[in-house]
Amino acid sequence: MRSLLNRFRSSRKLSPGNTHGNGVRKLDVMDGPPKNADESAAIIEELSQTFHVSLAQMKTISEQLKKEMQKGLNQEGATVAMIPTFVSGRPTGEEKGRYLALDLGGTFLRVCEVDLCGNKEFKIRQKKYKVPLSLKEGDFCDLCDFIAECLGSFIADLNPGGSILSTSSTHDHSTTTAGSSSSSSSSSSSSNDSTTNVNNNSNAAPSSHHESTVQPEQDKYQLGFTFSFPVFQTSINRGVLKQWTKGYSCTNSVHKDVVEMLQEAFLRKQVPVNIAAIVNDTVGTLMALAYSVPETAIGVILGTGTNACYYEQMKDIKKWDGGETATDEMVINTEWGAFDCERLCLPLTIHDRKVDRESLRPRQQMFEKMISGMYLGEISRNVILHLIDRHILFDGYSSNDLNKAYCFDTSYMSSIELDDTPDLQETRHILEDVLSIPSTSLTDRQLVKHVCKMVGLRAARLSACGLAAVLKQSNLVSAGCTIGIDGSLFEHYPDFESNMMQALKELFGPYIAYKVKLSLARDGSGLGAAIIAMLAHKNARRGDIPTTTSSPSSTSVAEEQPQQDVQQYQKEASVTENHKDEKSIKENGIQEQQEQVDTKKEIQDTNGDGKVPHQENNQKREQDAADVIEEVPKKQDETK
């Protein structure tokens, strides 16, 4: 048998380690650096074929995803979970009122006051507080008390000596007109106020200024709580914690209702706030745009991770056993990132399989691993290393930096694709100065640029497959709608939006561009959460809140899973020499380290400004300058 194998290898001129990117063995005569333009073109064609997603494949993928979505609507335990979110009703843009939002999910707690002004306009004032490490690891009751005191202080600072339910006309006269450009930071001196500055190691939260007894229900602020951890949601404002992630390990909390515990803290601290809804960031994205663009029917995250939600008819949610609802439809959180863990239709390459195999959760979140910002850079790095092993790139030389997992940030891909200098100087800088490749030729840089282009293009086309499945499931292909999309892949990655639309045109015909609009939607965890609180409160006052049922979390796996894969390499990064610390942080994208760097500089309100796409969720939560209350009037554009 061995001699037969050797004869086969000899006759085919094969080396055991040389393979095409798609897993097919490759002839030795094609290895080595390209000697002329024809060989370069052949290598580029090989890469293009490796990552190409044909129209036939896109149709198969979208149809299979639609089938999996229907399975998830019919039964629990499906691969695509299709989680009922208990959010029913749609904003019209004419609602008015002041609502609060809390966003807990990392180093900072963000508190927002959202003033819905009607006429599709709103204003936001917000503040963030650093959560001490001791509270992340201590008793959850202490963390709840901290949150309550921060919230009480925030309310008092907004309305010194007045009612918390004062109308929008009582806002500071310095508020600019809605629709004007807003500053990314505030010049307020409150950042030095010792009662509000909690960016230190003390466990003490700011003192609450509220000494009055708790008001009746109608006198309370209604709050949307974005809780970015896995929970079993049992109603619009009830959720049982499954486990902690992202550096939290609070005791006295797992398998308990986190909303009830936080509401009890509000009572203890006499903070007149009712938690009207526990919020998923993807659903928040849908609502954040729907207030300004009421025809918004789908919300999507395309950033660190990926997910989608949409309105589904209650009659088609066969597994629902929660009783009557306020309307005949409910928002469904698809959790589409888990699609095709069975590997039935996604066009996996050897590079995708390697990334999956070395992740913390192999054979899970396969769709996400092929299209989200967390993984695109890692896929590209593996392709580059594969070409190095074949002596096609860099004369066969790599570097210690390039050999580190997750060092090739998705932001590098973006910069390389945007590099239009004659000799690709920005690409040279990234490869030689940042990643320490000894030397690169122009041909090397051109091939690396093509790798990035192909990986990014494939991600956009696969994302379009997901949109196509949701459009068909919700019967919106002919009717049309606006799709609200958050995340810096969509916002900043070169041609991502146009490549998605081109794929949709291939799937549905050119008319789809007139029926379906892709629009940027920001701040689902703030604005979106407040709007969900408004809808939930309105339904509750009518007595339309669904009865309790068991449903998996509407907290997105899209946000949870990618961070865990990066944390696998945190120890390795921490032992790097001191003079490489800043570079190590950028390369590995570790959440805690990045947030510590961000606190030393003014944080721009640009969702990461396109510089680190796979960390936009962290930066979005830190878009204010540290400890400054900011009043930001906004009006979402109807189109991007």
Side-chain angles (χ1 to χ4, degrees), residues 38-63:
D38 288 341
E39 289 194 6
S40 293
I43 295 169
I44 288 175
E45 177 62 20
E46 176 189 319
L47 291 170
S48 299
Q49 290 301 317
T50 298
F51 288 95
H52 178 60
V53 184
S54 68
L55 176 58
Q57 287 175 307
M58 289 196 297
K59 288 181 177 179
T60 299
I61 292 167
S62 61
E63 286 299 326

Side-chain angles (χ1 to χ4, degrees), residues 282-356:
T282 312
V283 182
T285 295
L286 168 59
M287 295 299 171
L289 186 63
Y291 185 77
S292 298
V293 188
E295 59 269 25
T296 304
I298 299 172
V300 178
I301 299 290
L302 288 171
T304 307
T306 184
N307 195 14
C309 66
Y310 71 103
Y311 285 96
E312 182 61 86
Q313 295 296 308
M314 291 303 304
K315 63 182 178 59
D316 294 325
I317 310 175
K318 305 300 183 183
K319 66 181 179 182
W320 174 257
D321 60 358
E324 294 186 3
T325 56
T327 67
D328 60 358
E329 61 182 5
M330 178 178 288
V331 178
I332 292 293
N333 168 25
T334 66
E335 292 293 352
W336 75 8
F339 169 59
D340 203 32
C341 66
E342 303 88 354
R343 305 190 182 191
L344 298 177
C345 62
L346 289 177
L348 293 165
T349 69
I350 59 171
H351 315 295
D352 300 301
R353 296 177 190 276
K354 183 174 184 292
V355 170
D356 174 56

Side-chain angles (χ1 to χ4, degrees), residues 588-606:
N588 289 282
I590 300 168
Q591 180 181 5
E592 291 291 326
Q593 292 173 315
Q594 181 64 40
E595 288 176 328
Q596 291 169 6
V597 172
D598 286 342
T599 60
K600 298 178 183 177
K601 61 184 180 181
E602 185 178 61
I603 299 172
Q604 301 297 313
D605 188 8
T606 57

